[in-house]
Amino acid sequence: MARIVMKFGGTSMAGMERIRNVAARVKHVVSQGNEVAVVVSAMAGETDRLVGFCKEASPLYDAAEYDVVVASGEQVTSGLLAMTLKAMGVEARSWLGWQLPIRTVEAHAKARVSTIETDDLLAAMASGQVAVIPGFQGMMDDGRVSTLGRGGSDTSAVAVAAAIKADRCDIYTDVDGVYTTDPRIVARARKLDLVTYEEMLELASVGAKVLQTRSVGLAMKEGVRVQVLSSFDDPTQEDLPGTLIVSEEEIEDSKMERQLITGIAHDKNEAKIIVTRVPDKPGAVASIFGPLADAAINVDMIIQNDSKDSEETDVTFTVPRADLARSVDILEALKETIGFRRIITDAEVAKISVVGVGMRSHAGVAATMFKTLADRGINIEAISTSEIKVSVLIDEDETELAVRVLHTAYGLDAPAA
Ligand code: ADP
Ligand code: ASP
Ligand code: MG
C-alpha cells in the first residue's frame, strides 16, 4: 500500500465525461489498496473566464476579492469529482482550502503555502475515504480565501504530498510527460523518461508551463517524488509511461545517456524596455532598478551598452508584460532624477532558453545557439545565462522557428516516424 497524491489539470477536468474518466483512474488506484488524495484544477478556460469578470468589474480590482472569485472554479470541480466517485461506489469527500485548512502567507493572488493541517485529512484517508482537494486555493491568517498564482494547482498537489508524506505525487495532464520542448510547437519533441529537479525548475521558470515553477522548487526542497502522466490514457493501465523528476545522482545511476541540452522553452510573457542615454556614472543603474524593485517588479534580462566614447549609456532590460505600463510610469516619473533621454518599449518579444546540466562541463552551447539563430536571420536582442541555461530575447514572430531550429541543432529531434 502506498499513499499517493493524484493531481488533475484543467483539460482533464473539463466536463463531466472527463471527470468520469478521472474518477475511473482514481478508483483504479484505490482498488490497488492505496490511500489517495486528489488535487483538482478548475475546468479548462474557467479561471481565465473568472479573471475576465474581475477585470470587467474594476481595472484596479482588489486582490483579496479577486481570490474569492477565481478560487471558485476549483470548488466546483472538487465537488463534482467527489460526487462522481461516490456514484461509482468509492468513498470520497471534498476538503476546501479553508476547511483543512491550507494556510498561506504573503500576497493575495500569488500566495505561498505555509502549513497544511493534516490530522483530519489523514484520519479520513486511513478510513478508506478519498480526499478531494481543490488546487490553487488556500486561506490567509485572517481567514480570507487566497490563491497561489496561475498554474498553482501543481503547487497545491506537491504541498499536500509533502504534508502527508506521500510516497508519490502524480501530476496528470494533457500530455504524457515532460518533453524536450513543448510538443504542441515541435512535433518531433521527445519525451524524457527522467529529468532532474534542477533542470525542471529551470525549464519551468523559463516558460515550460507543464509544471508551475514553485511546485518544482517545493518538490526539490521537500524531496517529493513527482511524476508527470497523461490523464487521457486507459484509466486501468498499469505503469503509465510518464516522466519522473529525480535527483542528479539517480540519473547518473540510471546510466542513461545524456544529451548536452535537456530541453528548450519559450516565454512570451516578457516585454523589453530600453532607457536611452543614461549618465554613465556610479549609481545610475541603481536609480533605475531600485524603484522597480520597490514596486515588486521583477527585472529579468539586463544589458548595458558600452559607452567608451561618451558619458552616456543605453540600458536594456525585460520585465513581465503585465508590468510594462507600470514600469514605464515609474521611470517616467523619475526622469529628472535618473537623467535619461527617453524610454523605448517592445512587448512583441519572446525569450528562448536552452537548459541542461551538461552545460557545466561543456563549452560551446551558447555559441551553437547564436550561430543557429544567425543562420536563420534571427536577431538576438538580449542574452542572459545561468550555470545550466542560456536565454536569448528575439522577435515574438520568430518564436516557433527559433525553437524548432534549436531543437534540431542540439540533436533533440525524435527519429522521423
Ligand atoms: P494542466 O491544465 O494539466 O495543468 P498545463 O496546460 O498547465 O496543463 O500544462 C500542460 C501543457 O504544457 C501541455 O499541453 C504543453 O503544451 C505545455 N508544455 C510546455 N512545455 C512543455 C514540455 N517541455 N513538455 C510537456 N509539455 C509542455
Ligand atoms: N485554475 C488555475 C489556473 O488556471 C490553477 C491551475 O489550474 O493550476 O491558473
Ligand atoms: Mg498547469
Side-chain angles (χ1 to χ4, degrees):
M1 186 206 81
R3 189 177 287 167
I4 298 173
V5 173
M6 303 171 72
K7 181 258 167 178
F8 294 90
T11 321
S12 318
M13 297 298 291
M16 285 318 302
E17 194 185 329
R18 294 199 180 157
I19 291 180
R20 275 192 291 276
N21 194 56
V22 164
R25 179 78 197 159
V26 173
K27 181 176 181 170
H28 176 70
V29 173
V30 170
S31 72
Q32 293 174 318
N34 298 303
E35 273 182 21
V36 176
V38 187
V39 174
V40 294
S41 286
M43 294 192 197
E46 179 62 6
T47 310
D48 286 341
R49 195 175 75 95
L50 297 169
V51 171
F53 287 139
C54 294
K55 288 186 177 151
E56 209 179 313
S58 158
L60 293 173
Y61 52 75
D62 178 82
E65 300 303 351
Y66 163 95
D67 279 349
V68 171
V69 176
V70 300
S72 66
E74 273 75 6
Q75 173 160 340
V76 171
T77 47
S78 55
L80 288 173
L81 179 60
M83 272 181 212
T84 309
L85 283 165
K86 282 190 181 190
M88 287 184 178
V90 180
E91 260 315 299
R93 76 152 272 193
S94 61
W95 296 87
L96 301 183
W98 59 269
Q99 290 171 331
L100 279 171
I102 294 177
R103 292 187 187 280
T104 61
V105 290
E106 293 168 17
H108 276 283
K110 50 182 175 194
R112 193 167 56 79
V113 176
S114 57
T115 54
I116 301 181
E117 310 245 329
T118 56
D119 292 353
D120 294 345
L121 185 64
L122 285 171
M125 287 169 70
S127 75
Q129 194 177 55
V130 172
V132 185
I133 302 167
F136 189 45
Q137 57 172 254
M139 184 185 91
M140 289 295 197
D141 275 347
D142 60 4
R144 301 199 69 175
V145 173
S146 58
T147 63
L148 310 182
R150 297 306 305 271
S153 295
D154 296 328
T155 302
S156 306
V158 172
V160 168
I164 64 173
K165 301 193 170 43
D167 297 284
R168 243 177 32 228
C169 180
D170 290 344
I171 308 274
Y172 288 86
T173 182
D174 56 5
V175 284
D176 59 357
V178 177
Y179 279 71
T180 45
T181 194
D182 189 337
R184 297 190 198 286
I185 292 210
V186 177
R188 289 178 72 183
R190 266 190 296 124
K191 195 175 74 187
L192 299 162
D193 296 329
L194 303 173
V195 60
T196 65
Y197 287 108
E198 210 184 350
E199 286 168 322
M200 193 63 237
L201 188 63
E202 197 85 73
L203 279 169
S205 76
V206 292
K209 70 164 187 164
V210 60
L211 289 175
Q212 197 201 31
T213 310
R214 226 182 228 178
S215 72
V216 186
L218 189 62
M220 185 162 149
K221 176 164 154 273
E222 302 285 339
V224 175
R225 211 161 173 77
V226 175
Q227 202 173 193
V228 178
L229 304 162
S230 166
S231 68
F232 293 97
D233 287 322
D234 169 6
T236 58
Q237 189 179 330
E238 301 302 333
D239 299 325
L240 289 177
T243 300
L244 190 63
I245 320 246
V246 296
S247 65
E248 229 167 288
E249 297 80 63
E250 272 179 273
I251 286 226
E252 274 152 25
D253 291 348
S254 77
K255 304 261 186 309
M256 200 175 83
E257 202 191 320
R258 307 226 62 203
Q259 298 279 350
L260 186 54
I261 293 303
T262 302
I264 302 176
H266 69 277
D267 185 356
K268 295 184 178 174
N269 287 314
E270 291 193 18
K272 184 178 75 169
I273 299 180
I274 306 174
V275 183
T276 69
R277 308 195 57 181
V278 180
D280 195 6
K281 60 167 199 232
V285 173
S287 69
I288 295 175
F289 296 119
L292 295 177
D294 292 343
I297 294 172
N298 266 327
V299 172
D300 181 22
M301 309 174 100
I302 303 176
I303 350 174
Q304 184 181 350
N305 292 0
D306 201 4
S307 65
K308 285 198 181 59
D309 306 328
S310 83
E311 306 291 296
E312 290 166 336
T313 169
D314 288 351
V315 181
T316 303
F317 55 94
T318 62
V319 294
R321 238 180 239 193
D323 291 331
L324 178 61
R326 211 156 55 91
S327 305
V328 172
D329 285 351
I330 291 170
L331 295 175
E332 288 288 3
L334 293 166
K335 189 167 184 182
E336 296 299 308
T337 328
I338 303 170
F340 60 85
R341 169 75 66 86
R342 67 190 185 108
I343 291 179
I344 303 167
T345 63
D346 184 0
E348 263 98 64
V349 289
K351 185 171 72 171
I352 312 293
S353 308
V354 299
V355 172
V357 289
M359 247 180 246
R360 286 207 193 103
S361 48
H362 285 81
V365 169
T368 302
M369 186 174 197
F370 305 154
K371 170 139 196 346
T372 307
L373 297 176
D375 287 348
R376 291 299 181 126
I378 299 172
N379 188 39
I380 297 173
E381 302 176 26
I383 301 167
S384 69
T385 64
S386 79
E387 205 191 358
I388 63 164
K389 177 199 78 188
V390 183
S391 303
V392 295
L393 197 71
I394 62 167
D395 190 308
E396 184 182 4
D397 289 342
E398 296 178 313
T399 308
E400 295 181 10
L401 174 65
V403 173
R404 244 184 313 109
V405 296
L406 290 171
H407 199 264
T408 306
Y410 289 109
L412 296 175
D413 289 351

